[in-house]
Amino acid sequence: MYTSHPLLSPFFLPFGISAFFLIAPLLAVWHRLSHSLQLHALSSVLSPAMNFVSVLPVLTLSLSVAAAPLVTTNAFKALSAGNYLITFKDEADDTNHFSRLSTLFDGDIDSGLRHRFNNSHFRGYSGKFSASMLSSLDDMSNDILSIEEDGKVYKSASSQFNATWGLQRISQRDALSSYVQDTALNFNYTYGSSGEGVDVYVVDTGIKIGHPEFDGRASYGYHDDSFTSAVDDEGHGSHVAGTIGGKTCGVSKNVNLIAVKVPDSEGEGTNSDLIAGIDYVISAAKASGRPSIASLSLGGTTNTALDSAVQQAINAGVHFVVAAGNENTDACNSSPARVSGATTVAASNINDARSSFSNYGSCDIYAPGENIVSVGIASDTATETMSGTSMATPHISGLLALILSAEGNMSPADATARLIELGTTDAITGVDGSSGTGSGNDSESGSGSGNGSGGGRGTWIPSWLLDSLLGGNGSGRGSQRRATSFVTNVLGYNDGGSV
């Protein structure tokens, strides 16, 4: 509990009556401060139940003894500068108060007030007030116990105890050095947001939308004319989608997943096929009006037309998360990994080392990409284990969906900066290309489980902590910045340069 009192120094005058008139106002102010600080302490007692905020109240008072205390607090994020919660004193005449208050709203009090509270436990109201309105409330201060900023509250963090190692790694700053079985589903994942209201366009081989991992949130969006639908008959796209938004394997449990099928059943396509898919994403995102992410776990050799198409989509407000590639070379020599406006993701393993196959360079960020368990297509319950930068990319796509859901849409540049801000610096070894470990090679590989079959691709991302979004309790904020040891793209669906 925080307590404070004004420092009152005795001041003696030859005449006692002069001393009285000087000291009495100070005593009145002291009484006012003591009363208001009790309100402050109340907010400190109540707010620890909220997981995502720091209790750092700021107390502001008018020196007028008659004025109600204006209590502001950083315990919750303020809705806006003009939203306030007013509490009545026990003896307040609320009927008379509301009558006088209506003049501030030109007689239409209901247009300005958000809530009125009138019960035996709590009486008061909330609404949006300008600075001049707040000043006018001084005239009604005899009714008012306190005026506080109205703020947002958030649900408590959720915890999952049958998660993949990648999910646990992105939700804590500490390494997973004590874990050796990276294909086990016994890791812990804690998250606050779950991606509601965000669309992720999985530009890949399609999605097995009927898989129970997707809970009906996956749908067909676009497919090339050579395909009859966006159904996944290769497996790569479903695995990627599962890491983005599967209920067990996914980062963002309530995100919308839209299949944009570009590669064929062999996992191959052309740059023009990919550009056509991107064109669809731009139109669909604009029509929906929702925050939209394009997740591209594919790529190839440098192509100016493809890079331009991706950048134009980014300029239109679509967030692009792309794979760095699996050639163990500089990711900035491939497309679309080299596009400056995209968030490019490289792969790391459970030992926090760059995966041996992962591209590297001066791009963006790492994420778990080796031995990632996710959705398979062999049956409605199939899973597969894959490795590659393709598996790292959806971790970041899912994280970005959490950010946009919790904090609101923002520009792609700001979103990338936010991801980097939440990243952990210097967590991955071998990022300069001089070393790297992992079970993969320059092409993605995988194995099936359950009724699934082998033949996947994958990537993994480096250590991450999304403090408020993922409910983590790490301290400090690091960054993985361009042109530093923590950068690369993730282009996990790149086999020898083909899309």
Side-chain angles (χ1 to χ4, degrees), residues 346-485:
S348 61
N349 62 28
I350 199 168
N351 298 314
D352 283 353
R354 178 181 66 87
S355 298
S356 61
F357 52 78
S358 178
N359 284 356
Y360 51 86
S362 57
C363 301
D364 287 307
I365 201 161
Y366 281 80
E370 273 188 49
N371 293 330
I372 303 301
V373 179
S374 187
V375 170
I377 64 169
S379 73
D380 285 343
T381 59
T383 62
E384 287 214 35
T385 300
M386 298 185 183
S387 295
T389 54
S390 286
M391 282 65 256
T393 303
H395 281 88
I396 301 302
S397 298
L399 288 173
L400 181 53
L402 297 185
I403 292 174
L404 299 181
S405 178
E407 299 181 0
N409 202 8
M410 61 189 75
S411 71
D414 287 344
T416 298
R418 184 69 173 128
L419 284 165
I420 292 172
E421 177 190 6
L422 292 168
T424 303
T425 306
D426 298 333
I428 306 303
T429 60
V431 296
D432 58 357
S434 60
S435 63
T437 62
S439 58
N441 50 39
D442 287 349
S443 62
E444 293 168 325
S445 61
S447 61
S449 64
N451 293 323
S453 59
R457 299 164 172 73
T459 54
W460 42 310
I461 82 178
S463 55
W464 272 59
L465 171 68
L466 292 185
D467 293 323
S468 60
L469 297 176
L470 295 177
N473 56 7
S475 60
R477 290 251 174 112
S479 63
Q480 299 169 317
R481 304 188 179 280
R482 292 177 184 268
T484 70
S485 60

Side-chain angles (χ1 to χ4, degrees), residues 99-143:
S99 177
R100 297 172 63 190
L101 189 66
S102 67
T103 61
L104 299 181
F105 296 100
D106 297 326
D108 187 12
I109 190 172
D110 291 331
S111 67
L113 296 188
R114 182 177 178 86
H115 297 290
R116 295 196 206 190
F117 309 101
N118 186 17
N119 56 61
S120 59
H121 303 291
F122 182 81
R123 294 194 306 145
Y125 55 94
S126 66
K128 189 170 185 178
F129 297 87
S130 66
S132 61
M133 288 179 175
L134 288 171
S135 178
S136 297
L137 288 179
D138 280 345
D139 296 333
M140 297 176 253
S141 61
N142 288 337
D143 296 330

Side-chain angles (χ1 to χ4, degrees), residues 52-224:
F52 309 117
V53 292
S54 298
V55 183
L56 297 171
V58 177
L59 183 63
T60 309
L61 293 174
S62 168
L63 288 180
S64 169
V65 175
L70 175 63
V71 181
T72 62
T73 175
N74 289 327
F76 306 115
K77 287 184 177 179
L79 290 173
S80 72
N83 287 276
Y84 290 90
L85 176 62
I86 289 86
T87 303
F88 281 137
K89 294 179 179 177
D90 291 341
E91 64 272 20
D93 182 348
D94 53 353
T95 300
N96 179 61
H97 184 93
F98 285 128
S99 177
R100 297 172 63 190
L101 189 66
S102 67
T103 61
L104 299 181
F105 296 100
D106 297 326
D108 187 12
I109 190 172
D110 291 331
S111 67
L113 296 188
R114 182 177 178 86
H115 297 290
R116 295 196 206 190
F117 309 101
N118 186 17
N119 56 61
S120 59
H121 303 291
F122 182 81
R123 294 194 306 145
Y125 55 94
S126 66
K128 189 170 185 178
F129 297 87
S130 66
S132 61
M133 288 179 175
L134 288 171
S135 178
S136 297
L137 288 179
D138 280 345
D139 296 333
M140 297 176 253
S141 61
N142 288 337
D143 296 330
I144 298 173
L145 179 65
S146 67
I147 304 173
E148 302 174 89
E149 286 182 330
D150 201 356
K152 290 183 178 180
V153 294
Y154 299 92
K155 67 179 182 181
S156 299
S158 300
S159 296
Q160 176 185 348
F161 304 103
N162 62 338
T164 64
W165 77 265
L167 295 184
Q168 179 163 334
R169 193 65 191 90
I170 65 171
S171 62
Q172 67 180 52
R173 293 206 185 277
D174 296 335
L176 302 178
S177 57
S178 61
Y179 296 94
V180 293
Q181 185 57 44
D182 52 11
T183 57
L185 293 179
N186 59 3
F187 294 88
N188 301 329
Y189 175 46
T190 303
Y191 55 96
S193 171
S194 58
E196 296 94 336
V198 178
D199 295 339
V200 178
Y201 294 86
V202 183
V203 185
D204 214 292
T205 62
I207 300 177
K208 185 179 176 63
I209 64 172
H211 199 291
E213 271 289 298
F214 300 126
D215 277 337
R217 292 173 288 103
S219 61
Y220 295 144
Y222 168 86
H223 61 87
D224 185 83

Side-chain angles (χ1 to χ4, degrees), residues 8 18-19 36 45-46 71 144 211 227 266 308 338 358 375 392 402 415 444 472 485 496:
L8 300 178
S18 299
S36 298
V45 170
L46 294 178
V71 181
I144 298 173
H211 199 291
F227 309 129
E266 300 300 320
S308 178
R338 65 177 183 169
S358 178
V375 170
L402 297 185
E444 293 168 325
S485 60

